[in-house]
């Protein structure tokens, strides 16, 4: 690999002597010899197994729960319902002041998605727990459900989550996040062309090779060690502490090697209930998703709907950009209010557009709650934006890369969030990309720099 | 449930254990015999993380009953590269940045070993075919394929 050290040489403090060289990963020797210890590689005497009874309905009221047959099943040690959970309503981002708490650990009155946890069965073997879980009787009153963000926002739509009236997440800025910059009407009025397109995406499952789970061991003195493959250790510690109403010093979280996550292991789902089970039984408890659960129950990347309206001049200048983005949170917030907010910040793209108008909505539907996955909130945004850029270039008969050179942000440009651009290297990256891919661009683009905007 | 005795050679050592009838080889190795190198990713025969070699053939230990291995010779990643010298596939994966989270790696190592034991000079297509039952969600397959080919080359150099 060739390394261009000339760019920004005066700004760099190092001589880049690490970059471009291979260094062995510190954990690789353990991986290749099979010695790396993942959470499930620990064995405990008297280990119990937890299996969840889950809602078969997308949306339903719970009339009654009967666990008596399950309790009698051979091997069952304990059956847990909502009333066993000290603080049953939570939301992961409450720790960074993103509320309200909107999700139950174990559902008691209502389920809002197919797969929602209702009853936890703890038994001496996985098989016994599974068999007993099948004996739990839940009487549901099935309710109508909504699966589309735009339908969910219509007046009179099914109310997914009582904490979010109108199925919107309510930010301190109102029912959406917004960016306003310049004068969007004037921008469209001056534009030679206007192009409006709608983009949508499906949920994407992270599908890590190791499924989500934890093993909890009681340590005496009401202290518990939780071996977990979480990607978010402190969210796990703090949320478990809130849900269990136990001070954090009683909870010892042990993380370490995660067998793949891609964002799918940042939610706090398995640990609190497993700790509670260990507390109530006095025995170590393992709660590990089956592959089927991992694919169906763990939170995927959110589905998004993105409407982009751009005004462009014949000479290639973008003069107006209006974006409305909808993030499908599914039934509960988890990380989605944050994802939708990131989208608002991201939609101008790495381009300098003088007139920008952006609204993003986090919307509740009766789908599996979505959450983090690799750049959530901006990855689909980039897909939509860059497809839109190609379409705009085609519309005005311009080369798509040259079109991007014209609009790329340069140092000193004011961004739509009223933050001046600093340290942009986009022009230089595109020049390099053009070179290595043999994509011909006119010399004037190769003479551009991110340092200054040419006259 | 009834316990049954099983005896087999695990990585060259004679082992005799009692396991519950119906226990998978994967569970027997991990929970009873203390060999955590095979991983359980799906427990349904689709991910390959649990791959081991039984009497010279690659097998999914999650779909193999421990009791069916009576008298067999079983090889796992934990048995490779003893005395601090890595087996060539292990070395090549390490050098070739062909492992990230590592969860698929022991299964990949066994799939590659089974290939090289039978086909010391595989083609790229042979390698692709051999690891086609092993899912890696992190690394991408290119570095893994290249590592297996590199291991084959280093093997033939050692032989020659
Ligand atoms: S655990 Fe055996 S194939 Fe996945
Ligand atoms: S390295 Fe993570 S699954 Fe292969």
């Amino acid at each position: 690999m060739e390394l261009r050290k000339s760019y920004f040489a005066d700004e760099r403090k190092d001589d880049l002597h690490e970059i471009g060289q291979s260094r062995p990963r510190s954990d690789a020797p353990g991986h290749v010899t099979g010695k790396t210890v993942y959470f499930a590689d620990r064995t405990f005497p008297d280990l119990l197994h937890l299996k969840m009874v889950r809602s078969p309905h997308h949306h339903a009221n719970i009339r009654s729960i009967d666990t008596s047959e399950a309790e009698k099943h051979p091997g069952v040690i304990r059956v847990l319902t909502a009333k066993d959970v000290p603080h049953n309503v939570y939301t992961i981002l409450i720790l960074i002041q993103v509320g309200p708490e909107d999700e139950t650990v174990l559902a008691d009155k209502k389920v809002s998605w197919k797969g929602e946890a209702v009853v936890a069965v703890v038994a001496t073997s996985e098989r016994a727990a599974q068999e007993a879980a099948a004996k739990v009787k839940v009487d549901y009153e099935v309710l109508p459900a909504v699966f589309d963000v735009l339908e969910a926002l219509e007046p009179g739509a099914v109310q997914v989550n009582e904490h979010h009236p109108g199925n919107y997440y309510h930010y301190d800025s109102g029912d959406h996040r917004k960016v306003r910059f310049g004068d969007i009407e004037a921008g469209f009025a001056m534009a030679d062309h206007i192009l409006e397109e709608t983009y949508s995406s499906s949920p994407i499952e992270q599908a890590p090779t190791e499924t989500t789970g934890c093993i909890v061991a009681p340590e005496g003195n009401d202290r518990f060690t939780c071996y977990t493959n979480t990607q978010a250790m402190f969210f796990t510690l703090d949320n478990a502490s809130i849900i269990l109403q136990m001070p954090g010093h009683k909870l010892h979280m042990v993380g370490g090697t995660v067998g793949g996550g891609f964002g799918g292991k940042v939610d706090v789902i398995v640990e609190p209930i497993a700790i509670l089970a260990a507390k109530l039984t006095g025995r170590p408890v393992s709660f590990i998703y089956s592959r089927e659960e991992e694919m169906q129950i763990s939170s995927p990347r959110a589905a998004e709907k993105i409407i982009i309206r751009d005004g462009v001049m014949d000479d290639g200048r973008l003069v107006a950009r209006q974006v409305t983005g909808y993030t499908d949170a599914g039934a509960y917030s988890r990380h989605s209010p944050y994802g939708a907010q990131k989208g608002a910040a991201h939609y101008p793209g790495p381009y300098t557009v003088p007139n920008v108008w952006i609204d993003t909505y986090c919307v509740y539907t009766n789908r599996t709650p979505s959450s983090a996955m690799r750049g959530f909130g901006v990855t689909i945004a980039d897909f939509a934006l860059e497809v839109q850029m190609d379409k705009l270039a085609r519309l005005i008969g311009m080369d798509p890369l040259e079109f991007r050179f014209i609009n790329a942000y340069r140092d000193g440009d004011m961004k739509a969030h009223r933050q001046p651009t600093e340290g942009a290297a986009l022009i230089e990256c595109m020049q390099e990309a053009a070179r290595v891919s043999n994509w011909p661009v006119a010399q004037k683009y190769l003479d551009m720099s991110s340092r200054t905007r040419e006259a | 449930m009834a316990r049954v005795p099983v005896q087999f050679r695990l990585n060259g050592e004679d082992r005799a254990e009692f396991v519950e009838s119906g226990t998978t080889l994967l569970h027997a190795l991990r929970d009873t015999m203390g060999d955590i190198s095979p991983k359980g990713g799906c427990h349904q025969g689709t991910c390959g993380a649990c791959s081991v070699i039984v009497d010279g053939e690659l097998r999914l230990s999650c779909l193999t009953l421990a009791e069916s291995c009576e008298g067999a010779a079983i090889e796992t990643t934990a048995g490779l590269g003893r005395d601090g010298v890595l087996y060539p596939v292990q070395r090549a994966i390490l050098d070739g940045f062909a492992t990230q989270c590592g969860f698929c790696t022991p299964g990949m190592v066994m799939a590659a070993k089974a290939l090289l034991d039978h086909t010391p000079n595989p083609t790229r297509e042979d390698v692709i075919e051999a690891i086609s039952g092993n899912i890696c969600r992190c690394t991408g397959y290119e570095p893994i394929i290249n590592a297996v080919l590199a291991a084959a080359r280093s093997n033939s150099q050692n032989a020659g």
Side-chain angles (χ1 to χ4, degrees):
Chain A
M1 187 179 91
E2 187 204 5
L3 212 64
R4 296 285 164 113
K5 297 193 178 188
S6 51
Y7 294 135
F8 308 104
D10 53 333
E11 280 184 17
R12 275 204 322 269
K13 307 218 169 18
D14 59 76
D15 62 357
L16 293 187
H17 52 61
E18 292 295 322
I19 296 175
Q21 297 205 39
S22 290
R23 296 258 178 252
R25 291 176 62 109
S26 61
D27 53 1
H31 295 349
V32 299
T33 53
K35 291 201 177 86
T36 299
V37 176
Y38 299 82
F39 83 94
D41 292 337
R42 297 177 177 91
T43 44
F44 295 85
D46 287 336
L47 182 67
L48 300 176
H49 299 265
L50 188 153
K51 288 282 171 197
M52 209 48 98
V53 178
R54 299 182 178 281
S55 163
H57 304 295
H58 297 291
H59 200 191
N61 283 324
I62 296 175
R63 290 205 195 94
S64 64
I65 299 173
D66 177 3
T67 61
S68 55
E69 287 304 308
E71 274 159 37
K72 283 185 231 145
H73 190 81
V76 170
I77 303 295
R78 179 92 197 212
V79 177
L80 305 174
T81 60
K83 61 181 186 310
D84 296 304
V85 184
H87 184 77
N88 196 35
V89 190
Y90 78 112
T91 200
I92 290 157
L93 294 180
I94 201 81
L95 306 157
I96 53 169
Q97 285 81 48
V98 179
E101 295 176 318
D102 67 352
E103 180 167 6
T104 49
V105 177
L106 294 175
D108 50 356
K109 296 185 193 71
K110 190 180 128 162
V111 287
S112 296
W113 60 284
K114 186 174 172 177
E116 184 160 354
V118 184
V119 174
V121 177
V122 186
T124 49
S125 71
E126 267 184 81
R127 185 164 163 185
Q130 195 84 61
E131 287 167 351
K135 291 185 170 173
V136 171
K137 290 192 201 73
V138 184
D139 183 18
Y140 294 101
E141 177 203 352
V142 179
L143 300 170
V146 61
F147 305 108
D148 178 82
V149 284
L150 297 183
E151 279 171 32
L153 295 183
E154 275 167 19
V158 168
Q159 181 70 35
V160 174
N161 184 324
E162 60 179 311
H163 303 282
H164 303 289
N167 297 329
Y168 292 102
Y169 182 80
H170 289 261
Y171 294 95
D172 50 11
S173 57
D175 61 15
H176 61 288
R177 278 296 192 215
K178 55 183 145 223
V179 175
R180 299 287 185 269
F181 183 63
D183 181 343
I184 195 77
E185 295 305 327
F188 282 122
M190 76 180 283
D192 291 325
H193 307 274
I194 293 174
L195 179 71
E196 178 177 316
E197 296 283 335
T198 300
Y199 301 88
S200 46
S201 68
S202 302
I204 300 170
E205 166 58 33
Q206 300 85 352
T209 311
E210 174 204 50
T211 60
T212 301
C214 68
I215 299 179
V216 180
E219 304 294 357
N221 297 331
D222 203 27
R223 288 167 64 96
F224 299 86
T225 302
C226 177
Y227 302 91
T228 162
N229 63 4
T230 181
Q231 290 180 272
M233 188 57 91
F234 288 92
F235 281 166
T236 304
L237 174 63
D238 293 349
N239 277 289
S241 168
I242 293 170
I243 290 166
L244 300 165
Q245 299 284 290
M246 289 173 76
H249 70 265
K250 301 261 189 197
L251 304 173
H252 182 199
M253 297 290 165
V254 180
T257 309
V258 177
F262 322 112
K265 291 174 181 165
V266 301
D267 292 343
V268 185
I269 311 289
V270 291
E271 296 88 352
I273 195 74
I275 296 169
L276 182 63
K279 187 177 160 86
L280 295 177
T281 59
R283 286 170 63 171
V285 172
S286 148
F287 180 16
I288 305 177
Y289 280 178
S290 67
R291 174 55 51 186
E292 194 178 354
E293 283 178 301
E294 187 71 43
M295 301 304 279
Q296 295 194 341
I297 307 307
S298 71
S299 16
R301 181 195 289 290
E304 291 183 51
K305 196 166 284 243
I306 300 162
I307 301 153
I308 309 178
R309 185 166 192 252
D310 282 330
V312 66
M313 305 304 287
D314 283 327
D315 64 9
R317 280 176 299 134
L318 267 172
V319 289
R321 168 160 284 177
Q322 180 169 16
V323 184
T324 312
Y326 301 93
T327 298
D328 186 344
Y332 299 107
S333 293
R334 299 199 183 166
H335 286 74
S336 291
Y338 171 55
Q341 169 164 326
K342 278 203 285 174
H346 197 72
Y347 282 120
Y351 306 111
T352 295
V353 189
N355 305 296
V356 174
W357 187 103
I358 295 164
D359 281 352
T360 61
Y361 298 84
C362 172
V363 186
Y364 298 88
T365 65
N366 294 107
R367 295 169 82 173
T368 306
S370 58
S371 198
M373 184 191 189
R374 314 194 88 174
F376 65 114
V378 301
T379 317
I380 304 298
D382 275 328
F383 151 74
L385 286 178
E386 296 308 322
V387 172
Q388 177 83 359
M389 291 298 280
D390 284 351
K391 289 183 176 177
L392 288 165
R394 219 174 295 142
L395 183 69
I396 57 169
M398 190 174 258
D399 174 86
L401 190 53
E402 294 186 343
F403 177 60
R404 286 171 173 83
F405 272 110
I406 292 171
N407 292 293
Y409 58 7
R410 327 278 215 273
D411 284 359
D413 285 356
M414 182 57 76
K415 292 190 270 195
H417 323 96
R418 296 185 174 78
Q419 191 71 24
T421 306
E422 283 173 41
L426 181 55
I427 294 281
E428 288 72 13
C429 286
M430 290 197 296
Q431 287 165 343
E432 192 58 25
R435 273 188 204 103
V436 297
S437 61
N438 286 319
W439 187 281
V441 290
Q443 185 59 39
K444 65 175 173 177
Y445 301 111
L446 298 177
D447 294 338
M448 284 181 175
S449 157
S450 289
R451 294 300 185 80
T452 52
R453 182 168 276 281
E454 56 293 337
Chain B
M1 224 166 286
R3 284 180 167 270
V4 289
V6 280
Q7 296 187 35
F8 48 68
R9 272 182 92 69
L10 175 59
N11 295 322
E13 273 175 46
D14 284 322
R15 301 291 297 263
E17 303 282 345
F18 285 95
V19 298
E20 276 185 7
S21 183
T23 300
T24 63
L25 179 59
L26 177 62
H27 275 304
L29 290 172
R30 289 174 55 84
D31 303 343
T32 313
M33 303 191 172
D35 182 349
I36 56 151
S37 66
K39 305 297 172 193
C42 68
H43 300 275
Q44 58 185 27
T46 52
C47 75
C50 65
S51 301
V52 300
I53 293 174
V54 179
D55 286 336
E57 299 296 331
L58 191 67
R59 291 275 282 275
L60 296 172
S61 63
C62 73
L63 296 186
T64 304
L65 291 184
E67 36 200 306
S68 74
C69 297
E70 180 67 29
I74 297 175
E75 298 166 71
T76 70
T77 303
L80 293 177
R82 289 205 165 144
D83 308 320
V85 181
L86 294 177
Y87 172 75
V89 172
Q90 294 174 309
R91 179 85 253 165
I93 287 178
L94 188 69
D95 292 343
F97 206 84
T99 175
Q100 288 194 35
C101 82
F103 201 76
C104 70
T105 308
M108 286 287 182
V109 169
M110 296 324 283
K113 181 174 194 296
L115 169 71
L116 298 184
D117 286 351
H118 292 115
T119 313
N121 290 304
T123 63
R124 199 178 167 78
E125 283 61 42
D126 293 336
V127 175
I128 292 170
E129 171 74 26
I131 64 167
S132 62
N134 294 67
I135 289 173
C136 176
R137 281 290 287 162
C138 313
T139 306
Y141 297 99
E142 276 305 296
I144 299 173
I145 295 165
N146 291 338
V148 179
L149 288 169
R153 280 196 300 275
S154 78
N155 273 347
S156 63
Q157 274 160 16
N158 293 346

